[in-house]
Amino acid sequence: MQPTELIIAFQNKNQAAFKRIYDMYSQNVYGIIYNIVRDEALSEEVLQDVFIKIWNNGNTYSEKKGRFFTWILNIARNSAIDKTRSKSFKHSSQNLTTDFFVDILEDKTNFNSKIDSIGIKKYIAALEPLCKKVINLLFFKGFTQKETAEELDIPLGTVKTRNRICIDKLKQILEV
Amino acid sequence: MDINAYIASGILELYVYGSLSEKESTEVYKILQEYPKAIKEVERIENALQQLSAAVAPNNSTELLYHKIEEQIKSSNTGDVIPITRKRSSLTTYIGWAASVALLIGLFIQFNKNQKLKQQLVTNQIEQTLLEGKINVAEEDLSKTKSLLNVLRNKDLIQVPLKAQKVDPTAFASVYWDKNKQMAYIDVAGLPTPPLGKVYQVWSLKLDPLTPTSMGILDKFNDDDTKIFILTNPNESEAFGITLEPEGGSESPNLEQLYTLGVVES
């Protein structure tokens, strides 16, 4: 559900509404950032930057342009990518696998109470290698279809349908 | 439109990712307004992605990070964005006005200085003219005095001191007589200023019998600072006298008003 009333309230600089939006989306933002930055302390810095940007630029969001979640996703990805280009980011030697989120999820034992940890674990275990790469690029990194097709060397027309299949499984598992 | 086929195409997943162009997103938005089934699907996708992304986040509670964000929000809130820009613009305006005023004051001061200097220049020019005049006068006086000095140094000059008479015992005068040139220089610096309506008259005298001949009147007594008057004297003078006469002079001297008298030493 799109929290329309909360969005309007925070756009009018209501701090209580903003806190609720933070509670709703901060874990998602943190996950997106961490998958790109791969450092907890730096990710926390970026997380703060992201929510201050959200607060300051609330009025630039319009429902007609897209989902509120999508708008936040874009801010999170861009801020995280900016961080990787900054001086404080010195992790170029790190193992930059294209499906880092999978590694994280495979290694993780404790999950936030809001998360269906069993479902997620089950999903990751069953996920095809190509799906892992497609989800990482399109969802976590914000690549376009064209960029994803070039990166993975697959036909442009298959990106959209392939991705649908990958996400469908997640939906099914979570909705059981 | 077949909404099931539309959903099955996978476009809604890309819509939620933000992978679509702005134009494509707007088109999706229009379709979502028409088909509640499509909205439902978008929400399912969104829910799955929220679960996935949140699961990737480290276990550190984001709850604890909020207070730092809150601090920044509050500080940014008290210094609201719009007033700051207004303050800035008013500051630049203020600086602009201040600069203009300073410039005006500067110009005014320069203008005043210029006026004062111009005035000073005029005053100086007047003073210079006055001084030049004084110099001219002084030079004139000097040349006059020099010529007089030359006259007095002339060896042929006959000096005749004229002594005081009863009328005024303090009075005295001198006559310097150049017999060859028939000129007489009358020095009357020792005579009192004549009263109004009266003039001194100079007489050449023959003593035996006493015959006075007028040499002229000193009608410009007050105007001449040197008090030396030049008169022609073609007479065979034996003595000189100066009397006070009514304005215009007299035919014969009024001996009661004889001021000075001196005899030519032969």
Side-chain angles (χ1 to χ4, degrees):
Chain A
M1 284 290 284
Q2 180 108 321
T4 312
E5 284 177 15
L6 279 181
I7 293 164
I8 291 165
F10 116 81
Q11 282 178 327
N12 290 318
K13 300 291 180 189
N14 181 317
Q15 288 188 27
F18 181 68
K19 175 66 168 70
R20 288 187 63 193
I21 282 171
Y22 180 83
D23 291 342
M24 286 174 78
Y25 295 103
S26 61
Q27 286 291 327
N28 309 131
V29 170
Y30 198 12
I32 295 289
I33 294 164
Y34 184 61
N35 186 52
I36 295 169
V37 175
R38 306 183 185 194
D39 178 286
E40 286 186 17
L42 287 178
S43 294
E44 285 181 4
E45 279 179 29
V46 178
L47 178 74
Q48 288 175 40
D49 289 349
V50 168
F51 276 92
I52 286 157
K53 281 178 191 167
I54 290 169
W55 172 260
N56 289 332
N57 301 301
N59 288 326
T60 65
Y61 171 70
S62 158
E63 202 182 52
K64 287 174 187 172
K65 288 181 189 169
R67 302 289 289 179
F68 187 63
F69 175 67
T70 310
W71 184 69
I72 286 179
L73 266 183
N74 277 327
I75 295 171
R77 288 171 189 142
N78 292 337
S79 301
I81 289 163
D82 282 351
K83 194 72 179 178
T84 64
R85 289 168 185 157
S86 74
K87 281 179 185 174
S88 57
F89 188 79
K90 291 162 188 167
H91 297 267
S92 52
S93 62
Q94 222 171 27
N95 178 25
L96 298 173
T97 57
T98 53
D99 46 8
F100 184 64
F101 76 101
V102 179
D103 300 337
I104 297 167
L105 293 173
E106 279 174 348
D107 295 344
K108 213 171 172 181
T109 49
N110 295 319
F111 284 89
N112 186 299
S113 58
K114 289 177 192 168
I115 292 160
D116 179 358
S117 53
I118 299 163
I120 292 286
K121 282 275 186 187
K122 207 170 142 189
Y123 173 62
I124 291 298
L127 207 55
E128 288 173 38
L130 187 60
C131 271
K132 293 172 182 173
K133 290 184 169 74
V134 167
I135 289 170
N136 188 62
L137 293 179
L138 282 173
F139 175 56
F140 284 98
K141 299 279 177 69
F143 277 42
T144 62
Q145 291 181 78
K146 191 166 174 281
E147 286 164 345
T148 306
E150 283 166 4
E151 181 77 21
L152 301 179
D153 199 19
I154 56 172
L156 180 62
T158 64
V159 174
K160 195 161 61 175
T161 47
R162 167 61 65 174
N163 175 67
R164 167 132 181 106
I165 294 161
C166 298
I167 294 297
D168 243 5
K169 283 181 185 165
L170 179 61
K171 285 189 295 184
Q172 285 162 17
I173 290 170
L174 293 175
E175 285 164 9
V176 167
Chain B
M1 179 176 168
D2 183 352
I3 193 65
N4 291 326
Y6 185 77
I7 290 167
S9 75
I11 193 166
L12 296 181
E13 282 83 353
L14 297 181
Y15 174 72
V16 176
Y17 288 171
S19 302
L20 299 179
S21 70
E22 206 173 306
K23 195 187 163 202
E24 288 169 321
S25 290
T26 309
E27 284 165 11
V28 172
Y29 177 74
K30 282 176 189 163
I31 287 160
L32 293 180
Q33 300 309 104
E34 285 179 50
Y35 298 93
K37 194 178 180 183
I39 291 180
K40 190 95 183 147
E41 180 66 13
V42 163
E43 282 170 356
R44 285 177 66 213
I45 295 163
E46 202 172 272
N47 179 54
L49 294 174
Q50 279 189 278
Q51 285 278 324
L52 184 64
S53 53
V56 175
N59 287 330
N60 316 3
S61 172
T62 55
E63 181 75 32
L64 296 171
L65 293 172
Y66 185 72
H67 76 276
K68 286 185 183 174
I69 294 164
E70 197 176 24
E71 274 170 26
Q72 293 208 40
I73 284 167
K74 278 177 179 166
S75 66
S76 79
N77 224 20
T78 49
D80 220 348
V81 175
I82 294 162
I84 284 168
T85 51
R86 271 186 197 153
K87 267 180 197 165
R88 273 184 194 156
S89 74
S90 77
L91 182 68
T92 49
T93 316
Y94 174 75
I95 290 167
W97 277 110
S100 308
V101 169
L103 183 68
L104 272 177
I105 290 168
L107 282 175
F108 184 71
I109 288 168
Q110 290 302 320
F111 178 76
N112 260 10
K113 269 190 185 172
N114 193 21
Q115 288 297 103
K116 275 183 186 168
L117 284 173
K118 274 183 182 169
Q119 241 169 350
Q120 185 84 45
L121 186 65
V122 170
T123 312
N124 286 350
Q125 277 172 344
I126 290 167
E127 274 179 8
Q128 196 191 346
T129 313
L130 284 174
L131 285 173
E132 276 173 359
K134 277 185 181 172
I135 288 168
N136 282 343
V137 169
E139 276 178 349
E140 222 171 280
D141 283 355
L142 184 65
S143 64
K144 223 179 196 176
T145 311
K146 270 184 179 171
S147 63
L148 278 173
L149 196 63
N150 283 338
V151 167
L152 296 179
R153 277 171 179 162
N154 189 338
K155 63 178 168 48
D156 296 334
L157 206 67
I158 299 161
Q159 192 184 350
V160 185
L162 307 185
K163 285 162 189 165
Q165 301 298 308
K166 282 178 192 167
V167 180
D168 186 349
T170 62
F172 71 92
S174 299
V175 174
Y176 303 90
W177 182 25
D178 190 338
K179 213 171 181 177
N180 297 335
K181 290 182 183 169
Q182 301 186 344
M183 300 283 280
Y185 300 86
I186 322 296
D187 179 1
V188 291
L191 289 183
T193 307
L196 208 64
K198 300 277 186 175
V199 289
Y200 288 114
Q201 190 162 7
V202 184
W203 305 90
S204 170
L205 304 167
K206 284 260 186 184
L207 294 175
D208 196 17
L210 187 65
T211 319
T213 312
S214 176
M215 284 167 64
I217 50 169
L218 310 180
D219 56 353
K220 288 178 180 169
F221 188 90
N222 288 324
D223 300 338
D224 197 320
D225 285 340
T226 60
K227 298 281 184 280
I228 292 175
F229 296 87
I230 303 168
L231 301 171
T232 55
N233 184 25
N235 311 300
E236 287 294 320
S237 309
E238 289 171 5
F240 295 100
I242 298 174
T243 58
L244 192 65
E245 303 291 339
E247 215 166 349
S250 308
E251 291 273 316
S252 58
N254 175 8
L255 292 176
E256 280 177 11
Q257 290 291 314
L258 179 67
Y259 270 69
T260 57
L261 182 69
V263 179
V264 181
E265 286 177 14
S266 50

